[in-house]
Each structure stands twice: as C-alpha cells, then as structure tokens.
Amino acid sequence: MQVRFQRKHSKPGLFVASLLATMLSVGCSASDSPSAEIGDFIEGRVLSSGQTPEAGVWVIAETNDLGTPYRKIVVTNDEGRFLIPELPDAEYDVWVRGYGLADSDKATAQMGGSIEIQVTAAADAEEAAAIYPASYWLSMLEPPENDPSWASTFKLGCQLCHQIGSSMTRYKDRDGFDLGVKKATHMNATADYLGRAELLDALGNWSSHILDGEVPPPPPRPEGIERNLVITEWAWGDGFTYAHDEIATDKRAPDLYANGPIYGVDLGNDRLLTLDPKTHEASSVDVPTLQGFSTPWCNQTYQGAMLPTGEDVIPMGFGSLGCPVEPGLTSFEGKYDNPANPHNPMMDSDGKVWMTTQIRREWDTDLPAFCQETDGIAGLYHHRQLGYYDTRSGDTQLIDTCYGTHHLQFDEQGVLWMSGDVFVIGWFDPSKYDPAEPGTLERSQGWAKPVIDSDGDGTADQQLVGFNYGIISNPRDGTIWTAQPGGNPGDPIDFRGRLVRYDPEAGSFEAFMPPRPGAGPRGVDVDTNGVIWASLGGSGHLAKFDRSKCAQTWGSGDQCPEGWTLYRSPGPLMKTGDEPENQIGADFHYYLFVDQFDTLGLGKDTVVMNGTGSDSLLAFNQTTEAFTVIRIPYPLNTYTRGLDGRIDDASAGWKGRGLWFTNGTDPVFHSEIPRSFVGKVQVRPDPLAR
C-alpha cells in the first residue's frame, strides 16, 4: 500500500470561521474548506490502479492508546475521499475495507493528517466473499424440501445466539456439524427439535458447496445517505463476555443522561458493563444473587407443579458454550459462571439501571409465600426475577417476583412491564416498593393470564400459552403488547407466532398472527402514532400492525390480516421457493427500536431493526418506505441485540445525537476480533462533514 501524509495549514483568518462552522454543526467538509493546524480528524483519499477513486468503501481508524481499544469507521464519497471526524488525541492505524477489494495494509496516522491509500482488487471471488455478511452465506443453504416453516424455525433456534454463515460456522462437513451441536446442550436440543438428520444433511450439503468454492452474490456498497454514517466502537468486557443489550438513557427521555456512561449486561459472567464515552474507560460490577445461589445457568433445575408425571427434578438450564453433551467436547467448561444471567437493562429517571436477573432457584418452593397462595402456582414460570443497580450509590437491589422475566419496559406512569413468562404477563410498580419494608413486595407486583375471546361471544375462552418475548407499552391507549415468536416446524399456523395485546383497564387480551409469509415476531415497539412495529426474525421482515384497521379484533389470531403490512428486509432470500407466500429472508432480526425522538438523525419514528445476521442495523423510513443499511464492516460477526438512542446536545446537530448498540454474539470468539464492543452510529450531512 502506498501512503502519503500531508500536513495542511490554515490560511490567515479562516481558522476562526472553520471553528465557528464546526460549533454550529454546519457540516463544513474537507473538500471545500482548509484544515486546522492540528485537528481532531484524519482525511484523505482511497485510490486503486493509480488514480481511480474507490467510492463506497470503509475507512477504519483504530488505536489502543486510550482507556480501551477504540475504532471509528467512515465511508468514502464518489471521489474516494473520506474524513474521520471527532477523534480523541491518539496515534491511529488507518486502513480500508470494501466489497470487491482486498483489505489494505495499515498505515500509522496522526490527527490533522491527509492520507492517500492505494488499494487492490480481491484476487478472486473467494477472497472477495470472505468479508460478506453471514446472511449472504446462509442464503446458499437449502432447507429440507425447501420448507419455509423449517427455515423460519431454523433461524429462530440456531441464530438465537450466533450468526450461521460466519467463517466459524460454514467450513465443516456433516460429521463436524454433528460434533459441533454437541458442544452445547441448547444447540443439541435445537438439532433434535428441527430433526437431527435433516439438519445435518442440510448443513453438510451447504458446507460442501462452500468448500468446493461456491460463493454468494456480492452485497452492494453503501450508497446515498449510507455514506454519511460515522460508526464509533469501544471494547468492553473480555474474551468470554456474552454482552446482551445496552442502555444509554431512559427510553422516555432521550436527553436525560447526556454524555453519561453506557451500561450493558454480560449474561455469560454476571456483570454489569460500563463504558464512559468521554474518558474511553470500560469497567464492570458484579451482579449478585440471593443467599449464595451459585448454580450456573447451564446446570439449573426445576422442581414443582409443572413437573412431568413421575419426575422429581428436571433440568431447566440453558446450555451454551462450556456445557456439552456426550460425546461433545469443550475447552471452555466453567468459563460461563452465570447463576444470575442478567438480561435487558433499562434506565429510569432516578439513576437506576433496572434489569431482569435470576436471584434464586427455579423451584416452586423458593417462590415468595404470597406467590404460592395464588390461584394456581402451575400457571407461573419463574426463570429470572428483577433487580436494579443504583448508579449514584453503587448498590444493587434484588427483587423477587412471582412470574418469570426477560424484557422490561416502563409505561408512562413509571410501572415496569415484563415479558418472559410462558403463562402470564407481569408488572411491577417501583413507587409501591420499599426495600426496607418486605411487606411492600406483594403490593408492588401483579400479573395476568392471556385468555382471549376466540368466538366473539364476549367471554374469554382460549388461554394463550407461549413464551412472551418482546414487550412494549403503547402510550396512546395504555395497552401492553408482547411478541410470541412461535416456531413449530411443519405447523402451518404455530410457526408464524403472534402479537398479544393486553388492555389493563378492561382486563382483556387479543391475539394477532402475521399473514404469510410473515413468521417469528421477536422485538416489538410502538411509534408516536400508537402503531405497533415488530421484527419478524423467522421470515426476515419488518412488520407494521395497525389495530385501527381491523374489521374484527376477537378471534384466535387470523382475524385481522388487513392490519398488517410486511416489509421485506434488504439482502438475499433463502431457498424456499419462488412463491411470495413461501419466501424467507436470510437475515435474522433479533430485535428493533422505534426512534420516537430522532436520536439517530434520520427522522422521528424511524424504525431501526437489527440486521443480526448481516453485520448491520436497518433503518426504515416510514414516509419513503425505504431502508438505510447501516453496515458495521469491522469486526465481522457483529451480532447486535438491544438498541437505544440518546441526545447528548440537541443544539449540536449530528454531533449531539447517536444510536447505541453492542456486539452480543455468543461465543464472542466467533467474532473477527474476539472481544465484545459497544458502538455508536451517527449520521452526518455529507461524507466529509467534520
């Protein structure tokens, strides 16, 4: 690689004007104004074959000179020019990655410099495809009998923890995949659920084509506004961190904790992660349990009313890496010490980081006494309970619940609503709870069983049993919505999953299933108009559900297809046939976030969906009905989960806004860099704005 450094000097009188323009966020670009003597940016140009500009490729600056490893990524414009803005004072390695190119060498650069980088084309199709997202490789998989329900369930099960199609997953033969699924009890159980022989045959055939040199179609390079993106990454955790979600502020008040720390949970090792974006320091605190409970999630058990006939105790753990089945082998036994397995942090307005977290065994006898006195303990599933970390005092408070928890959201009155139970939806009112008064625990919580009116006679007659995954409160009418992914392969109805609506005032439930080919709702959120949005992880769609369009709301779920609008997410399809009702997208959508307050800068009510299988976030404009692909090109295997937006300075334009995410793949060594990171996305007015 040829690198040329050039220090630029300001013309007299223009430095002040340039500084003023920056302060006002006018978006002054390096191409039309002089640089400062010493600036907080690196600019330059990417060229190939001498003087041919490379447009739509990524330029990456990274350093280890700060408190934690740090990276910033931008995209070149039509002339191959780039400007990496707002860099902390450090020495950087700068290099280029782009579709169709070989990764460039790294060059050392300091801020304020100008760099010219020469790149070369990839040597062949296989070298070019090495940096394609996992979903492109997965699109080559042929499901048994091209069955869309099997493909949907495969994605919902196998992609739950990591990308299928990444380099760590695509180069095996059939026997290698058989040994691979035995490395974790959850993977092994998923193989049985899908049909072990069918799964291994499909994976073995897929990999044989790849080993023979077959490659997927190339993704497009960033275009238009996708070239205005600035992505910043900070490492946190360690080589065994299972980072599951992050939070930057109270979802209801995006400017509440401006410029403050970002919090995340390490589900694999029971830690609350912290990143200070001002000092670039990453740290963590341990998440405790009650009374010395120390059984890792993998080895946990259940005893109680839901036991199968003749059983005394049954396994109830989630076996990830380090928890194999015979004859599976692992080099990581004991590396995931997570009896608490904390999940989904949310901030309130009082400096508390709330999280769903396990505080005790999953035994009926360990439930609080008032829970056992209710009408049917068998109607409760109690994995995970509740807790919060007080950022002001540094204390952690654990709270027992009668129901299981998973995701949590505050409503407009400050009540926490929680998914995670198979049989009920639970809520907790912090205003009624005092840790110093144990008697307040009972009156602060409640739950309701989802039972719907299936035949329109005004009587609830059909109980909905299914894992309530995503959850959101609709501020327009006070209703609560959850998403049940479903996922029985071969079942033409159940594999589609459903949304469940609860009206606390009326005490009534409704259910709505997405029309084909939609399947597998996971994340759910609401826009400022009260319209519900869901990510369909199974079928690869963004779904919009507007209940006001329903001619009928009672029924078992199929009664309102007119309320749904499905939007196919960008990227290739799986091999499930040419008929529209059978087409399944190869990407996986773990969750989604409705940007009600325009924290990203793409407009109020932009819907941002995880491109969990495609190293991306997918921002959907409701007006144009078009997606902006926010590709994270480095490190590969950027598996995203929870999303959050924050406004640090509303008067600072794009510099004062950002969308936050974390790389939450399990295991993290599947990633190109085997360590988790927390990331921030910003949108500039043009690719050279600083």
Side-chain angles (χ1 to χ4, degrees):
M1 180 183 73
Q2 299 177 5
V3 181
R4 181 170 69 238
F5 298 94
Q6 179 182 5
R7 182 72 67 184
K8 290 195 172 185
H9 299 274
S10 297
K11 294 181 181 179
L14 289 184
F15 174 73
V16 174
S18 176
L19 179 61
L20 180 60
T22 300
M23 293 175 64
L24 295 176
S25 300
V26 171
C28 183
S29 69
S31 60
D32 58 16
S33 80
S35 303
E37 178 76 22
I38 298 175
D40 64 349
F41 60 89
I42 297 171
E43 62 183 341
R45 199 175 187 194
V46 179
L47 303 170
S48 63
S49 302
Q51 295 299 312
T52 302
E54 286 289 344
V57 299
W58 295 283
V59 183
I60 302 159
E62 52 187 345
T63 184
N64 291 320
D65 292 350
L66 305 174
T68 191
Y70 175 93
R71 299 181 287 273
K72 186 158 279 192
I73 304 171
V74 299
V75 187
T76 57
N77 69 3
D78 286 342
E79 290 77 39
R81 297 189 181 278
F82 66 89
L83 188 145
I84 310 173
E86 293 194 294
L87 290 168
D89 188 12
E91 187 174 89
Y92 292 88
D93 288 333
V94 181
W95 57 287
V96 173
R97 168 169 284 177
Y99 295 139
L101 301 177
D103 284 354
S104 76
D105 294 332
K106 295 181 179 180
T108 301
Q110 295 179 341
M111 295 186 302
S114 179
I115 309 175
E116 184 179 287
I117 304 177
Q118 288 285 337
V119 295
T120 58
D124 52 36
E126 288 185 71
E127 182 181 38
I131 63 168
Y132 293 173
S135 60
Y136 281 74
W137 291 94
L138 181 60
S139 69
M140 299 165 58
L141 177 74
E142 186 171 346
E145 301 180 359
N146 298 329
D147 180 5
S149 68
W150 189 95
S152 174
T153 307
F154 167 83
K155 289 172 58 187
L156 290 169
C158 294
Q159 301 246 82
L160 182 64
C161 296
H162 43 250
Q163 291 180 347
I164 308 300
S166 66
S167 62
M168 294 288 285
T169 65
R170 63 180 181 253
Y171 296 112
K172 301 178 185 293
D173 58 17
R174 190 184 189 280
D175 291 339
F177 283 114
D178 190 28
L179 287 174
V181 298
K182 292 183 174 71
K183 289 184 177 181
T185 55
H186 177 73
M187 285 198 297
N188 194 62
T190 301
D192 288 338
Y193 185 64
L194 287 165
R196 182 176 298 271
E198 292 84 354
L199 174 66
L200 295 177
D201 287 345
L203 291 173
N205 182 63
W206 171 62
S207 188
S208 69
H209 285 278
I210 294 172
L211 291 169
D212 287 342
E214 187 175 332
V215 298
R221 287 185 178 182
E223 293 279 356
I225 202 169
E226 295 170 356
R227 298 183 180 178
N228 299 356
L229 301 173
V230 179
I231 300 169
T232 310
E233 301 172 357
W234 295 262
W236 63 359
D238 56 32
F240 292 98
T241 288
Y242 185 175
H244 203 299
D245 307 326
E246 51 63 44
I247 194 71
T249 189
D250 186 329
K251 180 178 171 68
R252 301 161 298 175
D255 57 352
L256 186 59
Y257 299 106
N259 299 300
I262 312 301
Y263 297 94
V265 288
D266 180 354
L267 183 151
N269 282 283
D270 288 2
R271 293 175 288 196
L272 182 70
L273 307 172
T274 306
L275 181 279
D276 188 328
K278 294 186 296 183
T279 65
H280 313 290
E281 295 288 339
S283 60
S284 65
V285 296
D286 293 335
V287 177
T289 58
L290 283 180
Q291 301 174 348
F293 175 60
S294 60
T295 306
W297 193 8
C298 169
N299 300 320
Q300 290 180 26
T301 58
Y302 171 76
Q303 184 181 64
M306 289 189 295
L307 282 173
T309 302
E311 298 285 346
D312 294 325
V313 178
I314 59 173
M316 203 66 164
F318 184 96
S320 57
L321 190 70
C323 188
V325 297
E326 294 290 342
L329 300 173
T330 179
S331 301
F332 306 104
E333 189 168 356
K335 296 297 185 181
Y336 293 87
D337 184 15
N338 59 345
N341 51 92
H343 189 271
N344 193 217
M346 285 287 163
M347 296 191 76
D348 66 12
S349 59
D350 297 320
K352 297 183 182 69
V353 181
W354 292 78
M355 64 192 110
T356 55
T357 186
Q358 187 167 357
I359 68 176
R360 54 167 171 77
R361 295 184 302 180
E362 298 178 49
W363 288 31
D364 285 357
T365 53
D366 289 1
L367 282 161
F370 66 85
C371 302
Q372 300 183 43
E373 295 167 0
T374 61
D375 59 341
I377 189 174
L380 301 171
Y381 168 75
H382 40 96
H383 175 66
R384 289 201 186 97
Q385 291 78 42
L386 190 60
Y388 64 78
Y389 173 76
D390 192 323
T391 63
R392 296 166 181 170
S393 68
D395 297 330
T396 300
Q397 179 68 40
L398 301 178
I399 302 170
D400 212 340
T401 60
C402 297
Y403 43 81
T405 69
H406 196 66
H407 285 102
L408 70 171
Q409 296 281 357
F410 286 98
D411 66 17
E412 295 300 298
Q413 288 71 46
V415 175
L416 269 172
W417 292 87
M418 282 158 285
S419 68
D421 201 290
V422 177
F423 301 99
V424 303
I425 293 173
W427 61 86
F428 183 87
D429 188 344
S431 70
K432 297 179 180 179
Y433 176 68
D434 183 348
E437 297 184 24
T440 64
L441 180 63
E442 180 175 1
R443 70 168 181 254
S444 64
Q445 62 181 289
W447 60 91
K449 286 185 180 181
V451 183
I452 60 174
D453 176 3
S454 66
D455 55 13
D457 66 356
T459 301
D461 58 351
Q462 179 183 339
Q463 183 176 355
L464 302 178
V465 177
F467 187 71
N468 292 287
Y469 184 75
I471 190 165
I472 195 67
S473 167
N474 188 338
R476 278 300 184 98
D477 59 10
T479 57
I480 308 300
W481 293 75
T482 72
Q484 295 184 356
N488 283 334
D491 188 320
I493 295 179
D494 188 68
F495 92 93
R496 288 154 54 192
R498 58 197 168 204
L499 295 179
V500 178
R501 177 185 185 266
Y502 174 51
D503 185 338
E505 185 174 344
S508 61
F509 284 88
E510 297 167 352
F512 303 94
M513 288 189 293
R516 293 179 66 97
R522 290 179 53 83
V524 60
D525 206 343
V526 62
D527 65 26
T528 57
N529 296 311
V531 175
I532 301 299
W533 295 82
S535 57
L536 303 188
S539 62
H541 290 89
L542 172 64
K544 173 183 177 181
F545 183 72
D546 188 345
R547 183 178 176 272
S548 69
K549 295 183 178 180
C550 293
Q552 172 185 314
T553 56
W554 58 264
S556 293
D558 268 333
Q559 68 272 10
C560 183
E562 66 272 17
W564 292 87
T565 306
L566 304 184
Y567 303 95
R568 170 73 64 197
S569 62
L573 301 175
M574 296 190 72
K575 296 181 178 180
T576 52
D578 296 329
E579 300 82 3
E581 66 272 15
N582 291 331
Q583 291 182 342
I584 300 294
D587 205 352
F588 181 62
H589 307 308
Y590 198 94
Y591 217 78
L592 88 169
F593 169 74
V594 177
D595 193 3
Q596 298 176 0
F597 301 97
D598 192 22
T599 60
L600 177 58
L602 290 178
K604 174 183 170 182
D605 282 336
T606 295
V607 185
V608 186
M609 186 167 61
N610 299 88
T612 311
S614 63
D615 294 338
S616 69
L617 304 173
L618 307 171
F620 180 78
N621 184 307
Q622 293 197 41
T623 301
T624 64
E625 298 190 341
F627 286 95
T628 295
V629 177
I630 304 170
R631 189 83 72 199
I632 298 105
Y634 178 72
L636 297 173
N637 204 339
T638 293
Y639 184 113
T640 59
R641 298 174 187 267
L643 303 172
D644 184 36
R646 189 171 76 186
I647 299 174
D648 292 324
D649 185 351
S651 66
W654 69 272
K655 291 188 176 183
R657 298 171 182 269
L659 179 74
W660 293 87
F661 66 95
T662 188
N663 180 25
T665 190
D666 176 38
V668 73
F669 71 70
H670 276 195
S671 180
E672 186 178 8
I673 297 177
R675 185 174 176 184
S676 186
F677 68 88
V678 58
K680 179 183 183 181
V681 181
Q682 296 170 289
V683 182
R684 308 186 270 189
D686 68 76
L688 302 180
R690 63 166 175 266

